[in-house]
Amino acid sequence: EIVMTQSPATLSVSPGERATLSCRASQSVGSNLAWYQQRPGQAPRLLIYGASTRASGIPARFSGSGSGTEFTLIISSLQPQDFALYYCQQYHNWPPLTFGGGTKVEI
Amino acid sequence: QLQLQESGPRLVKPSETLSLTCTVSGGSISTDNYYWAWIRQPPGKGLEWIGSLYYSGSGYYNSSLRSRVTISVDTSKNQFSLNLSSVTAADTAVYFCARHVRLERNGDYGSIDPWGPGTLVTVSS
């Protein structure tokens, strides 16, 4: 099973600042990685697939990068609605599909 | 626009079977391009994939739950279902249904989108 590890667990930033979230895989997943945003009380929403491709309707301030075992999600200028939980997920070698433990972006 | 909606009992007794149904609207469940998936999230915790099923009935399951899980599809109703047997308090979670990419689309080989809003199922006597 591929283990996904996200850091930090909590990221404290101010509106308008840049947020950098990390995700590490226990073995290479190529570019088969997705990022999701989960606001309180809501379902996760797909932000990024293929490590760097924004999903439909996702603003350009969200960008993903990386391949192999190291990945990054950058939110270039945090808006109030961006304060949420973020999860990475690999689909390179499954079952099982596996998620990281999440990063909470807080004010 | 494809939408998914979970339904089923919100309270299940220990040792009984948890049963949920996901109704898909705005598109057909009988597509070659996607699996239909269940994911859960215990209160205050992260996401755990339960399993993904193709409309023909073939599917994949998380080995940690495999002995207790059955996922099935009803193409006539455009629904798919989850049965989780012998539940304990550890199975208390928000259960999400979702669409899971099966065949490559625009460079996407396996993301999960969209998701249903989720339903909290509590296991308690």
Side-chain angles (χ1 to χ4, degrees):
Chain A
E1 173 177 328
I2 297 178
V3 177
M4 308 301 293
T5 303
Q6 290 186 242
S7 61
T10 303
L11 185 61
S12 299
V13 293
S14 299
E17 290 187 339
R18 172 184 170 115
T20 302
L21 290 68
S22 296
C23 175
R24 174 176 293 178
S26 61
Q27 59 187 268
S28 177
V29 299
S31 294
N32 295 311
L33 182 111
W35 289 95
Y36 301 86
Q37 177 194 66
Q38 186 178 32
R39 295 172 176 150
Q42 296 187 14
R45 173 176 71 142
L46 178 66
L47 297 175
I48 301 283
Y49 62 85
S52 61
T53 303
R54 279 189 301 277
S56 176
I58 301 303
R61 64 180 181 273
F62 292 92
S63 63
S65 64
S67 65
T69 62
E70 301 284 344
F71 300 88
T72 300
L73 175 70
I74 291 175
I75 312 171
S76 60
S77 177
L78 277 157
Q79 302 299 302
Q81 63 269 33
D82 299 336
F83 292 93
L85 273 164
Y86 293 84
Y87 292 95
C88 61
Q89 174 236 330
Q90 69 82 21
Y91 47 87
H92 180 72
N93 188 357
W94 71 284
L97 296 173
T98 50
F99 294 87
T103 291
K104 181 181 180 181
V105 178
E106 66 174 23
I107 300 176
Chain B
Q1 181 179 358
L2 193 84
Q3 293 186 316
L4 301 94
Q5 179 67 55
E6 305 88 352
S7 60
R10 305 295 180 92
L11 181 64
V12 181
K13 290 182 168 57
S15 81
E16 295 189 345
T17 295
L18 179 159
S19 296
L20 294 173
T21 295
C22 182
T23 300
V24 179
S25 59
S28 175
I29 204 169
S30 302
T31 171
D32 289 338
N33 296 324
Y34 298 101
Y35 297 106
W36 303 96
W38 288 97
I39 301 105
R40 70 180 183 178
Q41 184 173 37
K45 297 188 177 180
L47 299 163
E48 179 182 32
W49 173 75
I50 299 171
S52 295
L53 191 70
Y54 183 45
Y55 81 93
S56 68
S58 62
Y60 302 88
Y61 296 90
N62 194 323
S63 59
S64 67
L65 298 168
R66 182 62 185 97
S67 62
R68 299 194 290 131
V69 169
T70 303
I71 300 176
S72 58
V73 172
D74 186 337
T75 55
S76 67
K77 295 181 179 179
N78 226 36
Q79 295 176 334
F80 62 106
S81 298
L82 169 70
N83 281 349
L84 179 65
S85 64
S86 304
V87 297
T88 69
D91 294 309
T92 293
V94 176
Y95 286 77
F96 298 100
C97 62
R99 186 180 69 176
H100 169 201
V101 170
R102 176 177 177 268
L103 298 179
E104 182 272 338
R105 295 179 65 79
N106 301 316
D108 188 350
Y109 291 87
S111 70
I112 301 172
D113 179 67
W115 300 55
T119 187
L120 174 62
V121 180
T122 301
V123 178
S124 175
S125 57

